[in-house]
Amino acid sequence: MRVIQFAAAFLAWLGRHGTRAVAISVFLGIALPQLASVLKPYVAEAIFMLLLLAFLRVEPRALAGYFTRPSLVLAATAWMMLVSPAILCVVFKLAGLDQSMPGLYIALVLQVSGAPIMSAPAFAALMGLDAALSLATLMACIVVTPLTAPVFVALFLDASLAVSPATLALKLFVLLGGSAFVAWAIRYLAGAEWLDRQRQRVDGLSVVTLFVFAIAVMDGVGALFLARPFFILGMIALCFAIALGMMAATVLCFAKAGREHAFALGLSAANRNVGIMLAALGSALPDLSWLYMGLAQFPIYLLPQMLLPLARRIVARRNSGDSGLPDR
């Protein structure tokens, strides 16, 4: 019994210090290469668990209130899942990456085709931004991912992958639909009140699962960094450039919606859920694709902390009465 109580207390503690623990896990993945190679085969299971825990944290009845701005949510979803991926995939193609660095090209196409990370609303809330808008957009993007991602695979990667677009769509549907169904079943059997009391422990489990995923995708990064440090640093710089570029374009695109809303949407657009793509296509991806998607975790875990001062300025302006909203 004491072991169970200790484990529950430890998970709750992790839940209260989640962002720091997750950030540390990225660097542990580089420092512990033996552990990374052991955990790499379990990426799909880790992603399913992350999705399940994220759905457990979403109150279904509350979602109706998050769609008070359906036009903005729909516009943001169309931008993130159709318009910006199409533009970027064409840019990658015109740059000749499919011929010069096909592994990187595959990873970039899959990255920009994915939905925002499941923790986007949590990061928005921690930064004082509009978490409701972030969550509503995330849910809409998740719904369309099994439809849009295979289209981009068919258009830009069909000949590069051993998995057909139809198979990808099926795997994405199983991952997303299966985790959502299991979460609904747990909520139905355990009850909403019990789940509400487990919030910190659920967050703690998310941290543990993120720890497994972050370490797994860093397999081989440490050794490659020692052998080719400038190549790894250049790849990390590219990851940040892609993330910041998508964020800046989104903020500009939705500037008329107000600074806070545009910034929250930009944060979601910057950090894409490459884990879902890894879970669906892991065995079909070349080593360079794995490497890039592993290094893409750096901006995901570090950008919220780096952009926190800017977010605080935006929130301070809102609290002072200057919301940044256009005149109506």
Side-chain angles (χ1 to χ4, degrees):
M1 181 63 87
R2 288 184 178 179
V3 174
I4 296 176
Q5 291 176 343
F6 175 80
F10 178 70
L11 288 175
W13 179 83
L14 276 181
R16 293 192 297 269
H17 301 85
T19 54
R20 294 189 186 94
V22 169
I24 291 172
S25 67
V26 177
F27 298 98
L28 285 178
I30 297 177
L32 302 172
Q34 297 86 356
L35 188 57
S37 60
V38 170
L39 294 177
K40 185 175 181 178
Y42 301 101
V43 165
E45 289 80 359
I47 290 301
F48 186 90
M49 188 68 176
L50 280 173
L51 292 170
L52 168 61
L53 293 169
F55 281 123
L56 285 176
R57 290 288 272 114
V58 176
E59 174 55 52
R61 294 179 181 177
L63 278 180
Y66 295 144
F67 287 92
T68 56
R69 291 181 294 273
S71 59
L72 181 57
V73 171
L74 292 175
T77 302
W79 166 258
M80 292 183 197
M81 303 306 296
L82 291 174
V83 180
S84 62
I87 294 173
L88 288 169
C89 287
V90 170
V91 170
F92 300 150
K93 188 81 171 181
L94 292 177
L97 289 177
D98 57 326
Q99 300 297 323
S100 60
M101 301 184 75
L104 177 61
Y105 173 74
I106 291 172
L108 289 171
V109 171
L110 293 177
Q111 178 189 23
V112 300
S113 302
I117 56 174
M118 296 295 289
S119 55
F123 281 132
L126 289 172
M127 299 171 74
L129 300 171
D130 192 342
L133 175 61
S134 179
L135 178 60
T137 304
L138 171 65
M139 299 303 292
C141 290
I142 285 176
V143 169
V144 303
T145 297
L147 302 175
T148 58
V151 170
F152 289 106
V153 168
L155 291 175
F156 295 96
L157 299 178
D158 197 15
S160 304
L161 291 176
V163 177
S164 69
T167 301
L168 174 59
L170 178 61
K171 289 186 175 183
L172 288 171
F173 177 79
V174 170
L175 274 171
L176 295 168
S179 56
F181 175 78
V182 174
W184 172 84
I186 293 174
R187 183 178 296 276
Y188 177 80
L189 294 172
E193 293 183 0
W194 181 85
L195 271 180
D196 189 60
R197 295 195 299 270
Q198 310 305 317
R199 279 179 174 269
Q200 288 186 344
R201 296 180 180 90
V202 171
D203 289 342
L205 281 173
S206 296
V207 171
V208 172
T209 311
L210 280 168
F211 177 80
V212 172
F213 173 74
I215 289 181
V217 295
M218 289 296 167
D219 184 30
V221 172
L224 189 57
F225 179 77
L226 293 176
R228 303 175 63 186
F230 293 107
F231 175 74
I232 293 296
L233 291 175
M235 292 285 284
I236 293 175
L238 176 62
C239 292
F240 274 98
I242 295 292
L244 289 171
M246 289 195 290
M247 181 175 186
T250 303
V251 170
L252 290 174
C253 185
F254 292 92
K256 290 186 178 180
R259 296 187 189 97
E260 183 185 355
H261 297 155
F263 198 84
L265 292 173
L267 188 65
S268 294
N271 296 324
R272 301 302 183 100
N273 198 333
V274 296
I276 293 181
M277 298 302 183
L278 280 176
L281 295 169
S283 61
L285 296 178
D287 290 341
L288 185 56
S289 298
W290 270 94
L291 174 64
Y292 177 84
M293 290 187 170
L295 297 177
Q297 305 310 303
F298 280 95
I300 288 176
Y301 294 139
L302 299 180
L303 273 184
Q305 182 65 33
M306 294 169 59
L307 297 172
L308 187 58
L310 179 57
R312 285 175 174 169
R313 288 179 58 187
I314 293 174
V315 173
R317 288 182 180 180
R318 178 196 65 192
N319 293 337
S320 65
D322 179 14
S323 66
L325 288 171
D327 295 333
R328 298 188 184 279

